[in-house]
């Protein structure tokens, strides 16, 4: 067994090789627990407070433990950070000859087949001058890039429409039938992953593959000795998404786009096909138009009240069925047409199943409406059994880690939700001195959050605090509507001279760069800024949270799960809603103190923190900050901060 104590000591190899490394007892204990879990092929759920250094705590035993390791992170940004920065640093320090591969979902890699089709196609009606220029840049990049990862071409915006034309989806990939199969970037990435000792993926890819056996992990998992989930608090949401079924009008319109190109290039003499494609396209767009709201979720019961939706769905099924039959006649004329036939048949099956299935008793059916698309979803009421089956397939170590997994150091909620019945649990507090570095302020006199003037009164309570902190604040809201209202009120506030940044005015990375550069800004955000955001130093000295982040009870999946728990004679609020709100709140609060020299105030405006019996459970789950309800004490805290 390797000597972790000397590796993590103040004069060990990590301190000699890694800039800024400090020895922390919590980090060493966590590394030892992970090494033990890997050696015994056990399951560990580990919460490590901010500043513990959990990345090093799992990387060192993972790299030294031998065998194949899959590390799954919350986002592609974290994936790139691990692959390009953290793992190379640790590997160099430990001098271990491990090989590392990065594996992303196929939409991140340029597809030679679709790129060639797009370059040749003169019917791409959406194309404008920018997109033509982007297409030329992508073509040049594909010719010189080793991996075809679109993140390597920063000149083309990540959200540029052209990316959809030059990448494949699980639906549109031709697989081994593709004429460019031998030089495929996705296949090369998978090959590298199969050969590597350490493979870095993200949660979406992990679960997409577990369910769909698509992206290469189905071959990786059997050979793997250890799976490590970083940012593991995100897993219940991600797993629910992939353990269910969904089909969107966006997928149908992608099929329309590809079928049009294939019809022109391979079946130009078959005149019935373009008409059938156009009819199905109209039916898909008409279905979206039956719902007037944007960015909303609707339950099956609510949507059944909409007779226009039901008849539009019937019409879509009819037109999709017609198109599928015509594609069957023409499929042998090209690999692309055969692919379109398979997709049409699969989409038809899923929509029929969503509409007609009577056996989905353990699923909740619902609809999500976006600006231009609509998605039919069937989500399992519980993911525990499904995930458990994946875990017991073969013996290996499973490690789940995050700064936020427990409620008052109790992991029951998380373990039950994920089906981790035999897991060991461990909790390490942050090494930061929260009692000296931070103040928790809950203002007095605010109404209950359902009050119609609640947001207005929150802003009034926040203004003197924002002035005392000289800006330098995140104002985190639990809804987009509240976020917009806070922005309007601060914009109109008298003598409020601090720059205001609103989520959506640019990409998240751009907004953070602006925030850091301004050094006195107030950034108003919703879900995007509650987690995965790291602003150290004085630029962020105040985090305001408008209300406790309980999920909206009218959410179709949440309400169905609440109903199920309550029908079993249990208490859904205490078992499910409260723990989820606590974990979300801990994420938001975690934005404040990111370094041992940081100082700041966490202002939680929701009076339920002090008026409800469960409020104590919530604040006791937060880091041990000094608490106050006095504005004067907050002002004093910031006057010390400014040296006044």
């Amino acid at each position: 067994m390797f000597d972790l104590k000397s590796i993590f000591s103040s004069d060990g190899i990590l301190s000699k090789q890694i800039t800024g490394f400090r020895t922390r007892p919590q980090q060493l204990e966590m590394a030892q627990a992970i090494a033990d879990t890997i050696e015994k092929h056990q399951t560990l759920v580990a919460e490590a407070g901010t500043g513990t250094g959990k990345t090093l705590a799992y990387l060192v035993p993972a790299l030294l433990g031998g065998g194949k390791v899959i590390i799954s992170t919350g986002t592609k940004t974290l994936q790139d950070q691990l692959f390009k920065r953290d793992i190379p640093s640790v590997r160099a320090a430990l001098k271990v000859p491990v090989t590392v591969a990065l594996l992303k979902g196929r939409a991140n890699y340029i597809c030679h087949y679709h790129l060639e089709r797009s370059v040749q196609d003169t019917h791409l009606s959406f194309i404008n001058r920018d997109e033509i220029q982007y297409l030329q840049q992508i073509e040049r990049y594909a010719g010189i890039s080793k991996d075809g990862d679109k993140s390597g071409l920063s000149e083309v915006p990540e959200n540029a429409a052209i990316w959809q034309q030059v990448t494949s989806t699980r639906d549109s990939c031709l697989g081994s039938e593709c004429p460019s199969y031998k030089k495929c970037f996705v296949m090369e990435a998978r090959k590298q992953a199969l050969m590597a000792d350490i493979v870095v993926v993200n949660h979406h890819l992990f679960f997409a593959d577990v369910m769909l056996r698509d992206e290469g992990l189905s071959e990786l998992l059997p050979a793997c000795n250890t799976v490590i989930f970083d940012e593991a608090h995100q897993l219940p949401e991600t797993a629910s998404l992939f353990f269910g079924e969904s089909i969107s009008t966006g997928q149908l319109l992608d099929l329309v786009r590809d079928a049009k190109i294939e019809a022109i290039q391979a079946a130009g003499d078959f005149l019935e096909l373009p008409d059938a494609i156009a009819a199905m396209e109209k039916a898909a767009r008409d279905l979206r138009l039956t719902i007037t709201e944007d960015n909303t979720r609707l339950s099956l019961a609510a949507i059944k009240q909409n007779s226009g939706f039901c008849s539009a769905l019937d019409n879509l099924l009819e037109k999709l069925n017609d198109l599928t039959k015509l594609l069957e006649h023409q499929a042998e004329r090209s690999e692309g047409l055969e692919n379109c036939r398979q997709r049409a048949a699969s989409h038809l099956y899923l929509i029929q199943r969503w509409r007609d299935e009577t056996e989905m008793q353990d699923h909740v059916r619902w609809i999500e409406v976006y600006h231009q698309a609509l998605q039919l979803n069937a989500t399992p009421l519980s993911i525990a059994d499904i995930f458990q089956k994946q875990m017991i397939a073969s013996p290996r170590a499973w490690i789940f880690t995050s700064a936020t997994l427990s409620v008052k150091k109790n992991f029951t909620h998380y373990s039950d939700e994920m089906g981790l019945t035999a897991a060991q649990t461990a909790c390490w507090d942050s090494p930061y001195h929260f009692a000296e570095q931070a103040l928790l302020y809950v203002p007095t006199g605010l109404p209950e959050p359902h009050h119609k003037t609640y947001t207005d009164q929150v802003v009034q309570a926040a203004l003197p605090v924002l002035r005392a902190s000289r800006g330098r604040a995140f104002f985190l809201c639990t809804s987009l509507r509240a976020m917009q209202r806070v922005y309007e009120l601060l914009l109109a506030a008298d003598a409020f001279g601090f720059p205001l940044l609103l989520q959506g005015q640019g990409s998240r990375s751009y907004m953070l760069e602006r925030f850091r550069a301004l050094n006195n800004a107030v950034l108003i955000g919703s879900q995007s800024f509650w987690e995965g955001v790291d602003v150290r130093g004085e630029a962020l000295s105040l985090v305001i949270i408008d209300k406790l982040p309980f999920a909206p009870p009218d959410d179709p999946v949440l309400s169905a799960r609440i109903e199920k728990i309550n029908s079993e004679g249990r208490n859904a609020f205490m078992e499910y809603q409260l723990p989820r709100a606590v974990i979300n709140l801990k994420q938001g609060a975690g934005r404040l103190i990111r370094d041992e020299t940081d100082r700041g105030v966490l202002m939680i405006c929701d009076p339920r923190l002090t008026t409800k019996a469960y409020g104590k459970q919530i604040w006791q789950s937060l880091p041990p900050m000094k608490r106050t309800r006095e504005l004067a004490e907050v002002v004093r805290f910031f006057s010390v901060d400014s040296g006044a």
Side-chain angles (χ1 to χ4, degrees):
M1 188 68 173
F2 36 87
D3 184 5
L4 288 173
K5 203 167 184 180
S6 66
I7 291 170
F8 282 93
S9 69
S10 54
D11 58 351
I13 51 179
L14 292 180
S15 69
K16 287 172 185 164
Q17 293 284 332
I18 295 175
T19 311
F21 176 83
R22 283 182 184 77
T23 186
R24 304 176 184 97
Q26 299 94 327
Q27 188 178 49
L28 173 60
E29 284 175 26
M30 185 178 176
Q32 286 170 330
I34 288 171
D36 198 40
T37 303
I38 291 172
E39 190 183 0
K40 294 175 182 171
H41 285 142
Q42 290 178 336
T43 300
L44 175 69
V45 179
E47 181 175 278
T50 311
T52 305
K54 62 183 168 65
T55 306
L56 284 182
Y58 67 68
L59 281 181
V60 170
L63 267 64
L64 292 174
K68 196 174 191 81
V69 181
I70 294 176
I71 301 173
S72 183
T73 70
T75 62
K76 286 182 285 188
T77 308
L78 279 171
Q79 248 189 299
D80 287 333
Q81 183 183 306
L82 268 172
F83 180 71
K84 292 172 183 171
R85 192 187 77 188
D86 298 335
I87 295 175
S89 299
V90 176
R91 181 172 57 182
L94 298 175
K95 296 184 171 61
V96 283
V98 296
T99 52
V100 189
L102 181 70
L103 189 60
K104 296 180 181 177
R106 63 170 69 250
N108 294 280
Y109 301 98
I110 294 165
C111 167
H112 291 293
Y113 177 80
H114 286 96
L115 173 60
E116 201 177 309
R117 285 291 211 230
S118 297
V119 169
Q120 290 171 358
D121 184 35
T122 54
H123 295 81
L124 286 174
S125 56
F126 75 93
I127 286 250
N128 56 37
R129 192 173 296 164
D130 283 346
E131 298 288 332
I132 291 169
Q133 194 182 338
Y134 294 154
L135 184 60
Q136 290 166 347
Q137 288 174 304
I138 292 167
E139 188 181 17
R140 280 197 297 274
Y141 174 70
I144 57 167
S145 173
K146 286 181 182 172
D147 57 20
D149 186 339
K150 71 180 193 182
S151 69
L153 185 61
S154 55
E155 296 90 334
V156 180
E158 197 177 343
N159 59 354
I162 192 65
W163 283 122
Q164 292 182 341
Q165 317 299 318
V166 299
T167 55
S168 71
T169 63
R170 180 174 154 269
D171 290 335
S172 66
C173 174
L174 302 182
S176 57
E177 300 299 312
C178 179
S180 302
Y181 184 71
K182 286 185 177 168
K183 58 176 183 176
C184 174
F185 288 125
V186 173
M187 294 311 299
E188 183 56 33
R190 290 180 185 177
K191 204 188 300 174
Q192 295 298 325
L194 279 168
M195 293 189 295
D197 302 308
I198 310 283
V199 185
V200 184
V201 301
N202 59 61
H203 301 338
H204 276 77
L205 175 61
F206 185 92
F207 284 102
D209 184 76
V210 162
M211 293 314 289
L212 303 171
R213 298 281 178 258
D214 173 58
E215 302 287 355
L217 284 178
S218 51
E219 298 167 77
L220 284 174
L221 262 177
C224 155
N225 303 79
T226 304
V227 177
I228 299 171
F229 291 108
D230 198 348
E231 301 297 329
H233 63 278
Q234 297 174 0
L235 294 184
E237 201 70 33
T238 310
S240 290
L241 187 71
F242 287 105
F243 289 169
E245 293 176 4
S246 66
I247 174 74
S248 75
T249 56
Q251 286 171 278
L252 293 168
L253 296 177
D254 286 347
L255 169 62
V256 163
R257 181 196 67 213
D258 294 344
K260 279 179 182 174
I261 296 172
E262 294 296 340
I264 291 163
Q265 296 182 351
D269 57 346
F270 188 64
L271 301 179
E272 287 177 73
L273 192 53
D275 291 344
I277 294 169
M280 196 277 276
E281 178 177 15
K282 183 178 185 307
R285 293 190 189 281
D286 285 348
L287 181 69
R288 169 63 189 89
L289 293 173
T290 61
I291 297 173
T292 52
E293 301 100 319
D294 250 7
N295 298 314
T296 188
R297 293 176 161 201
L298 299 168
S299 67
L300 185 64
I303 204 67
K304 278 182 174 172
Q305 307 299 314
N306 183 334
S307 57
F309 173 87
C310 299
S311 57
L313 188 63
D314 287 342
N315 182 50
L316 173 61
L317 280 166
E318 184 189 321
K319 297 297 185 275
L320 183 54
N321 189 39
D322 293 345
L323 176 60
T324 307
K325 285 176 180 171
L326 290 176
L327 285 168
E328 281 169 6
H329 288 299
Q330 301 297 309
E332 61 190 28
R333 298 179 71 166
S334 78
E335 299 96 336
L337 279 172
E338 167 57 23
N339 172 265
C340 289
R341 179 202 66 77
Q342 290 174 11
R343 286 157 70 187
S346 168
H347 296 346
L348 183 64
Y349 168 76
L350 284 174
I351 296 171
Q352 285 172 333
R353 187 170 156 82
W354 187 90
R355 189 193 65 171
D356 302 331
E357 183 64 67
T358 52
E359 294 171 25
M360 297 184 87
Q361 301 303 323
D362 53 349
H363 285 66
V364 52
R365 283 178 285 163
W366 56 287
I367 286 172
E368 187 147 20
V369 187
Y370 305 100
H371 182 54
Q372 290 182 318
L374 174 153
Q375 184 163 293
L376 309 178
N377 301 293
T379 305
L381 284 166
S382 168
I383 59 166
D385 292 344
I386 310 171
F387 189 62
Q388 219 169 29
K389 281 176 193 160
Q390 305 301 329
M391 289 182 66
I392 59 177
S394 59
R396 65 174 63 87
W398 295 83
I399 292 145
F400 302 79
T401 183
S402 167
T404 57
L405 293 171
S406 75
V407 177
K408 284 174 61 181
K409 303 191 178 180
N410 183 324
F411 293 87
T412 305
H413 165 73
Y414 186 81
S415 297
D416 286 354
E417 195 170 9
M418 291 296 294
L420 308 176
T421 46
Q424 309 281 318
T425 61
C427 191
W428 290 278
D429 290 332
S430 167
Y432 300 153
H433 300 292
F434 280 96
E436 292 144 37
Q437 289 179 254
L439 184 65
L440 170 61
Y441 170 52
V442 181
T444 56
L446 285 174
E448 288 290 304
H450 56 74
H451 195 278
K452 62 182 179 185
T453 65
Y454 180 74
T455 303
D456 295 45
Q457 293 195 50
V458 161
V459 171
Q460 286 309 307
L463 277 168
V465 184
L466 286 163
R467 289 186 178 113
S469 71
R470 307 187 309 285
R472 306 184 299 160
F474 275 7
F475 206 131
L476 300 178
C477 302
T478 51
S479 73
L480 293 170
R481 186 184 297 161
M483 179 186 86
Q484 194 63 45
R485 181 66 181 151
V486 167
Y487 178 67
E488 289 163 6
L489 290 166
L490 288 179
L491 212 53
D494 292 336
F496 188 77
F498 306 109
L500 291 178
L501 302 173
L502 179 67
Q503 177 184 313
Q505 289 175 338
S507 69
R508 187 166 83 158
S509 54
Y510 168 77
M511 300 287 285
L512 287 170
E513 274 172 39
R514 290 273 300 134
F515 182 82
R516 290 186 185 103
L518 287 163
N519 217 39
N520 68 338
V522 178
L523 190 154
I524 306 153
S526 185
Q527 203 55 48
S528 295
F529 290 91
W530 278 71
E531 62 176 277
V533 174
D534 193 3
V535 179
R536 297 172 189 223
E538 290 187 356
L540 179 59
S541 299
L542 169 65
V543 171
I544 301 172
I545 292 175
D546 71 335
K547 64 171 82 164
L548 298 175
F550 287 105
D554 57 352
D555 178 275
V557 180
L558 178 66
S559 58
R561 285 179 174 164
I562 290 170
E563 197 179 315
K564 179 178 184 284
I565 293 168
N566 288 338
S567 70
E568 292 167 356
R570 293 150 57 203
N571 184 330
F573 180 79
M574 295 305 289
E575 283 184 39
Y576 190 70
Q577 291 164 276
L578 182 62
R580 289 187 88 188
V582 169
I583 288 169
N584 285 339
L585 184 68
K586 284 167 74 174
Q587 276 294 328
R591 298 316 97 217
L592 182 64
I593 302 297
R594 307 298 299 172
D595 199 284
E596 55 207 10
T597 58
D598 280 359
R599 290 183 84 248
V601 170
L602 172 65
M603 176 178 177
I604 302 177
C605 301
D606 198 322
R608 291 175 293 183
L609 204 58
T610 56
T611 60
K612 301 291 184 189
Y614 58 76
K616 189 176 183 182
Q617 209 169 326
I618 296 175
W619 60 254
Q620 285 181 341
S621 297
L622 293 171
M625 306 174 182
K626 189 181 176 187
R627 300 189 305 278
T628 186
R629 307 208 66 191
E630 301 296 327
L631 177 61
E633 195 166 350
V634 176
V635 173
R636 269 198 305 278
F637 182 94
F638 282 122
S639 65
V640 169
D641 189 35
S642 64

